[in-house]
Every structure is written in structure tokens, then in C-alpha cells.
Amino acid sequence: MTNTTITIDALHERVDAIFRKAGLNPVQASAITRVIVAAERDACKSHGVYRIEGALRTIKAGKVNPNAVPELLPQDAPAIVKVDAKRGFANPAFELGLPVLVERAHSCGIAALAINDAVHFSALWVEVEALTQAGLAGLAMCPSYATVAPTGGNGPLLGTNPFAFGWPRDGQPYVFDFATSVAARGEIELHRRAGKSLPEGWAMDSDGRPTTDPEAALAGAMLPFGGHKGSAIATMIELLAGIMIGDLTSPEALDLLGTTTLYPSHGELIIAFSPQAFSAGRPGNPLGRAEALFEAILDQGARLPSQRRFIARAASESGGISLSAQEIEQLDRFLKQGLDGV
Amino acid sequence: MTNTTITIDALHERVDAIFRKAGLNPVQASAITRVIVAAERDACKSHGVYRIEGALRTIKAGKVNPNAVPELLPQDAPAIVKVDAKRGFANPAFELGLPVLVERAHSCGIAALAINDAVHFSALWVEVEALTQAGLAGLAMCPSYATVAPTGGNGPLLGTNPFAFGWPRDGQPYVFDFATSVAARGEIELHRRAGKSLPEGWAMDSDGRPTTDPEAALAGAMLPFGGHKGSAIATMIELLAGIMIGDLTSPEALDLLGTTTLYPSHGELIIAFSPQAFSAGRPGNPLGRAEALFEAILDQGARLPSQRRFIARAASESGGISLSAQEIEQLDRFLKQGLDGV
């Protein structure tokens, strides 16, 4: 099987055409395409072209509004930006809210974007990176599907609830983005397919007992990262990015669709901070001082998060993106057959 | 050795008198006393009367301004509240900023309090609890001393950087507050005194090798909780609550005093969210919906964080606080001898 190399722009065009063929309007198609192509460009396969199929299945199942045009809602509170995704994907809602969030963070010092009524699949690092490009620090979080047991509990309740942070730098930003479960659900699935046992501490079976059997884990629950501390953070995300913004929690998102195979419906919370506003009147430039911290981390031989992604990005930008024959075949099929291809 | 029971008010009076005797002005003495008494009342011994000695040593060493009167600084950005602690303790600075933070969070939807130039020892749960009493959710974080290695690193760089969150409830709030290191430094010290080995994964020696020897760990570095994820969160805290607010990072705080035996000088960041503002126009009451989530956690047999503290609080409120003969002797000595008692 030979791989095919394709430019970033050409991949964008092809993925966008797939989503248009599947019935998404231009605003939906182009925004979701930007995220999938950015992920594939960064060799972040978990959010790359592999995700197209799930999006198409969600469209086919009628669980996303293909014609949604997100709407910026009027707000009394100056530091809150609210976007109604109109039951479309979260990605165009984020793109609509971003410039307003940036403006509010610069003028208020700190501001938050709440996205409601969205179908969610985005990699949050895309969003915090966009904030760093505007000179802001950013924090993003959202619920997902109830597949994680709280520490001390015995069944799925919390989501894998991603938590992402970005800090602006002259070159590539400091960015992390991780699930608050010890492992992503996809990693358990990969162990199952490979017939391998899970490491200890990843999951429990449906009786709430520790298990290393992937099948039993998928029928049971995953565990939060870092014991009771990760469990507390995952709970905080349900509260802030689910309940506080008036949107669904992970158990509610699961109840709504009754499956984890389609993309979930829920909201998202993105907080933006202006380092210039926070540091005003204080000695030192925050962006310069941060570099000394990053250097100290690297001097120890530790890595900064996202370094691997940025290396892949540079390679894709100069040499294009390499896709397997199977991936190319899938793209061709989706482009030709639309929703009948899934 | 018999224990002595003392009312909360009587303990407050005694601790306040100790700090006045040690030279603190009324605003410093009363604020630090409130935190120590709240901790002792909640059987949170790590921030209780045990902490008085460290505060007195810090005063005696001339590392805190005993006459500081914190000042609210004028701000251009409406969602930022800034308090200059004037090199006094962080506690009176927080108390000064709190009502303004509450007002701004209600009017802006989200707001942040940055405390600068403080000597820090507070338990952050005290602060996020105060926000919940105003109907707000709160997130607090700060650097500390560089005693934790970043994941993949080989020496102390990050602080134990506490991270606390609170959510308002009718009764006791939902509150968590934890170090982003796998264990608190005090726990390693307790193992050393007891001649016990540390669990695996807590620490490295001064050559960066894993160790279970408490002496070697104290000379080396602690590890972050939850591997690279906890390490990333601890780094985020250095960036947001150190660098962004124009105050010291954990390595800078350690450089300044050259010891971890006195309380560190640095700032703090507290973010307040108005659930009413964020949920405006959305179905359901966020506070009521949160109760369903807490119930689901409890129904699994899991605990909510701080439950133990609230039980101790109720007992102290009805039956007083029980102190050991040694603790009473220490209080008497500090009260009589002031700074000569340490």
C-alpha cells in the first residue's frame, strides 16, 4: 500500500467538498473542515480524517442541523459572549464568537465564550491556539458522554471532559489539551482490537471492579486521571461547561442520544485572559518572562506539550500531508456517495 | 495528656492576640487568624494552629510587612480587580478584594482578582467558599516554592501549586482544594519523621532518579499528580497566577528567600463566575441542576470533596474545638513571649 501526499489546501478542498455533498451548508462545512485538516496536518490522527465518518454518521442520523447558522446572542454581562450553535456543529459557533471574545478579553481583562446547543467534536487545542494568536491566554473545557466513574464510584457518570490551555509565544504557543480520564476511550478500543490487556488503573467493569479487559472496560467505566483530583476537575467541567452555561451534562448528553457512536450534543466554555491587562503596572513583560520558564522546563530534558504536533505541522506545511491508500479510498468514497458512503 | 475544648470565638481571640503580640497590625492579624481558625474548626490541621509558628518565623525574619494595609488598585479593565498586599499576608488582601470581585462577577458575568506582593499561606478553600456564599462559582490558584519536577524533568522547578474550586449550594458548597503535586510536602516530612518509606511515584532524588526515601525526596523533587497532565496544570498555574499577574513564579519565590521554611512571597489569582449570568435565557436553574449531579455522585458511593471538613465544622460549631495539651502550651507560649517564643 503506497501513501499519497496531498497539500494542506488540497485536503481542505476535498474534505469541504465531502461535507457539502453530505448536505452541510458552507458555514458548517468549512468550519468543521478547518479543524479536521488542522488535526491531520499536525499528525493528530484522533481528530483528523478519521473523524469524518463519525460526523457523516451524525448527519445521517439527523442529529445535527446541516443548515445551522450560529447566532451571537445579545448579552447584558460585558465579559460573557454567548453563541447559539442552532444545533449545528460547535466549530462555526466558535469561529463566530472568537473575534468578539478576543475584543471582550482585551477590553474587560478576562472574558468567556459560552457555546450552546452544539454538536461537539472539536479538538480544543485548535480553539486555545486561536486565542494565543490574538495575544491571549485561553482555557477551554466541555462535557462529553458519561463514560467515566467518579473516584470512589462504580459506574459511568462523568465525561472524558477535555481541558485545554494555551499561552501566547512568538513562535508556536504553549498548548495542552487532554482528556480528564486516565486514557481516551479510543485507546481502550485500540487495545480491544489488538487483543491486548489494559494497564492497571484505566477502567472498571460493569460491576465497578477494576479490570484490564478492554471489553469489560467498554461495558463498564473508565477512571479519571490522577485519582480524586482528576475526578474533581472532571466534575468542575460538568458544572462550569455544562450546568453553568445552561447546557447538557455528560449523563444528559448520553441520555439524549443513547449511544456514544454519534457526536454528542452539549455546550462548551472558553475563557480568555489578557496578560497585558493583568500585568499592567507590574514589572517585567509576561510573555518574555514565560520564555524563561519554558526554557527551564526544556533544560531539564522535559518536553513542552504539543511539541510533537508542531514538528508534524512544519513537515506538513513544507512537504504536504501523507495519507494511506485506505484513507484516500475513504475520502473518494465519501465524496462520490455522500451519506450513502457510511 | 488531656485535650482542652475551646469555642471557635475563644480560639479566634487567642490567635488574634498572638499575632498582635507578634507585631501585626489589626487588619493583618484578624485576617490571618480567620483562616487559621477556620482550618482548625474544620479539622484541616495542615492550615490550623500548626501554621502559627511558620507565620511567626516569617514575621521574625522580617519577610512580611507587619503594618501592611492592602490597597485596591485602580483598574482600566472592568473584569479585573487588583489588590496590592503591600508585602503583608495575602489574607487581608483577599478580604479587601472580595466584595469588589463579587460585584464585578455579578455585573460582568466573569471577573478575576489578582493579588500582588503578598506573603502567602492561605488555604484556598476558604476563598472559594467565600465566593460561593455570594452565589458565585470560584476558581483559585497560586504558585508556591519550586519543589516539584515537571514530568520528564530531573529537578525542582514548579511549586506544589494549589488549585481550588467552589460551587454554591444551599447548604455546604461543593469545594475542592488540592496541591498539583502527587503529595503535599508535609506528607513527605511526616514519612521521614515516622521512618517510613514513601509510596512509589511520589518523588525523585537529587540526581533525578525515582526514590522512596523521604530524606532523598526532600533533597530532590516531588512529582506532579497525574503525570504529564498534572505537570501541565502546575505549569499553567505558574503562567496565570505568577507571570500573567506580574508576580513571582515558584522558582523566583524560592530564589528570593532561599528556603522553604518561611512563607513564600508571590501573588494569587481568583476567578469568579456568575452562574445566573451564564445561564440567563437557558432552561433550568443551574443550582438546582447541579444538585442532581451531586446526588448521582453520592448515589454511586463516591464522596464529594470537603465532606469531611463540613462534618468537623458542624461538630466544632456545636461542641467547640479540641486542642491537645501541646497545642495549648504552644498558644500560651506564643501569647506570652511573642516572637521570642519561636
Side-chain angles (χ1 to χ4, degrees):
Chain A
M1 303 280 271
T2 49
N3 275 23
T4 301
T5 298
I6 178 171
T7 66
I8 296 171
D9 287 349
L11 181 61
H12 181 97
E13 209 172 302
R14 199 175 303 193
V15 176
D16 188 62
I18 288 170
F19 283 119
R20 296 301 304 279
K21 171 87 177 178
L24 292 190
N25 68 12
V27 68
Q28 295 289 321
S30 65
I32 193 170
T33 296
R34 268 187 283 280
V35 172
I36 287 174
V37 172
E40 196 66 43
R41 172 200 68 197
D42 285 9
C44 176
K45 301 297 279 189
S46 63
H47 285 80
V49 296
Y50 151 80
R51 284 295 189 115
I52 297 172
E53 187 172 354
L56 296 182
R57 267 191 281 111
T58 308
I59 299 166
K60 194 172 181 177
K63 300 303 183 189
V64 61
N65 175 2
N67 290 310
V69 177
E71 187 187 341
L72 198 62
L73 299 178
Q75 260 309 301
D76 291 334
I80 298 181
V81 182
K82 274 186 152 182
V83 175
D84 182 342
K86 302 275 182 181
R87 309 217 161 270
F89 286 105
N91 319 94
F94 174 77
E95 292 187 358
L96 178 68
L98 176 64
V100 190
L101 176 63
V102 168
E103 184 268 311
R104 297 297 173 82
H106 282 303
S107 63
C108 295
I110 182 172
L113 167 61
I115 296 172
N116 283 127
D117 287 342
V119 174
H120 206 281
F121 106 103
S122 189
L124 302 189
W125 57 258
V126 173
E127 301 179 356
V128 295
E129 266 199 53
L131 288 172
T132 66
Q133 282 160 17
L136 301 169
L139 194 56
M141 60 190 92
C142 66
S144 45
Y145 279 129
T147 54
V148 177
T151 295
N154 59 13
L157 177 65
L158 306 171
T160 52
N161 300 2
F163 189 69
F165 173 75
W167 177 269
R169 302 180 70 188
D170 268 349
Q172 305 295 4
Y174 175 89
V175 171
F176 68 74
D177 176 1
F178 55 72
T180 50
S181 49
V182 69
R185 199 168 164 86
E187 292 179 71
I188 296 182
E189 177 60 24
L190 288 176
H191 277 77
R192 188 190 66 78
R193 290 188 199 175
K196 291 204 293 197
S197 290
L198 303 176
E200 303 269 350
W202 278 28
M204 59 175 59
D205 65 19
S206 56
D207 294 321
R209 290 173 308 213
T211 185
T212 58
D213 172 14
E215 293 274 7
L218 289 168
M222 293 186 282
L223 293 176
F225 91 100
H228 71 281
K229 296 180 182 182
S231 186
I233 291 175
T235 305
M236 175 189 82
I237 294 172
E238 299 288 343
L239 290 168
L240 291 182
I243 289 168
M244 183 178 79
I245 65 169
D247 217 309
L248 300 188
T249 60
S250 297
E252 290 167 342
L254 184 57
D255 281 350
L256 184 72
L257 296 198
T259 173
T260 60
T261 62
L262 302 175
Y263 293 146
S265 292
H266 54 68
E268 184 183 341
L269 179 68
I270 303 112
I271 303 169
F273 304 82
S274 164
Q276 298 309 325
F278 273 96
S279 64
R282 300 287 305 170
N285 178 300
L287 302 193
R289 291 182 60 214
E291 293 306 311
L293 180 68
F294 299 138
E295 215 165 286
I297 291 172
L298 294 168
D299 280 352
Q300 291 205 355
R303 290 195 311 172
L304 298 182
S306 300
Q307 276 188 306
R308 192 190 53 73
R309 272 201 307 108
F310 296 138
I311 291 167
R313 181 181 304 183
S316 297
E317 283 170 347
S318 62
I321 296 168
S322 174
L323 294 178
S324 69
Q326 195 185 0
E327 286 167 329
I328 292 286
E329 177 279 321
Q330 200 188 40
L331 293 178
D332 289 345
R333 175 162 41 92
F334 292 155
L335 190 55
K336 197 168 162 202
Q337 301 176 24
L339 295 177
D340 294 332
V342 288
Chain B
M1 304 279 271
T2 49
N3 275 24
T4 302
T5 297
I6 179 171
T7 66
I8 297 170
D9 287 348
L11 180 61
H12 181 97
E13 208 173 302
R14 199 175 301 193
V15 175
D16 188 61
I18 287 170
F19 283 120
R20 296 299 305 279
K21 172 86 178 177
L24 292 190
N25 69 10
V27 69
Q28 295 290 323
S30 65
I32 194 170
T33 297
R34 266 186 284 279
V35 171
I36 287 174
V37 173
E40 197 65 44
R41 172 201 68 196
D42 285 10
C44 177
K45 301 297 279 189
S46 62
H47 285 79
V49 296
Y50 151 81
R51 284 293 190 117
I52 296 172
E53 186 171 354
L56 296 182
R57 268 190 280 111
T58 308
I59 298 166
K60 193 172 180 174
K63 300 302 183 189
V64 61
N65 176 1
N67 290 310
V69 177
E71 188 188 339
L72 198 62
L73 300 178
Q75 261 308 301
D76 291 334
I80 298 181
V81 182
K82 274 186 151 182
V83 175
D84 181 342
K86 302 272 181 184
R87 309 217 162 272
F89 286 105
N91 320 92
F94 175 76
E95 292 187 357
L96 178 68
L98 175 64
V100 190
L101 176 62
V102 167
E103 184 268 312
R104 297 298 171 83
H106 282 302
S107 62
C108 295
I110 182 172
L113 167 60
I115 296 173
N116 283 127
D117 287 341
V119 174
H120 207 279
F121 106 103
S122 187
L124 301 189
W125 57 260
V126 173
E127 302 178 356
V128 295
E129 266 199 54
L131 287 172
T132 65
Q133 281 159 18
L136 300 170
L139 195 55
M141 61 189 93
C142 65
S144 46
Y145 279 129
T147 55
V148 177
T151 296
N154 58 13
L157 177 66
L158 307 170
T160 52
N161 300 4
F163 189 70
F165 172 75
W167 177 268
R169 303 180 70 188
D170 269 347
Q172 305 296 3
Y174 175 88
V175 171
F176 68 74
D177 176 1
F178 54 71
T180 50
S181 49
V182 69
R185 200 168 164 86
E187 291 178 73
I188 295 181
E189 177 59 26
L190 288 176
H191 277 78
R192 189 190 65 78
R193 290 188 199 175
K196 291 204 292 195
S197 291
L198 304 175
E200 303 270 351
W202 278 28
M204 58 176 60
D205 65 19
S206 56
D207 294 320
R209 289 174 308 212
T211 186
T212 58
D213 172 14
E215 293 273 10
L218 289 169
M222 294 187 282
L223 294 176
F225 91 100
H228 71 281
K229 296 180 182 183
S231 186
I233 292 175
T235 305
M236 175 188 83
I237 294 173
E238 299 288 344
L239 291 167
L240 293 181
I243 289 168
M244 183 177 79
I245 65 168
D247 217 309
L248 300 187
T249 59
S250 297
E252 291 168 342
L254 184 57
D255 282 350
L256 184 73
L257 296 197
T259 172
T260 61
T261 61
L262 302 175
Y263 293 146
S265 292
H266 55 69
E268 185 184 340
L269 180 68
I270 303 112
I271 303 169
F273 305 82
S274 164
Q276 297 310 326
F278 274 96
S279 65
R282 300 286 306 171
N285 178 299
L287 303 191
R289 290 182 60 213
E291 293 307 310
L293 180 68
F294 299 138
E295 215 166 285
I297 292 172
L298 294 168
D299 279 352
Q300 290 205 355
R303 289 194 312 174
L304 298 183
S306 300
Q307 274 188 306
R308 192 192 52 75
R309 273 201 305 107
F310 296 138
I311 291 168
R313 181 181 304 182
S316 297
E317 282 170 347
S318 62
I321 295 168
S322 173
L323 295 177
S324 70
Q326 193 184 2
E327 286 167 329
I328 292 286
E329 178 279 320
Q330 199 187 41
L331 293 178
D332 289 345
R333 174 160 43 90
F334 291 155
L335 190 56
K336 198 168 160 198
Q337 301 176 24
L339 295 177
D340 294 333
V342 287

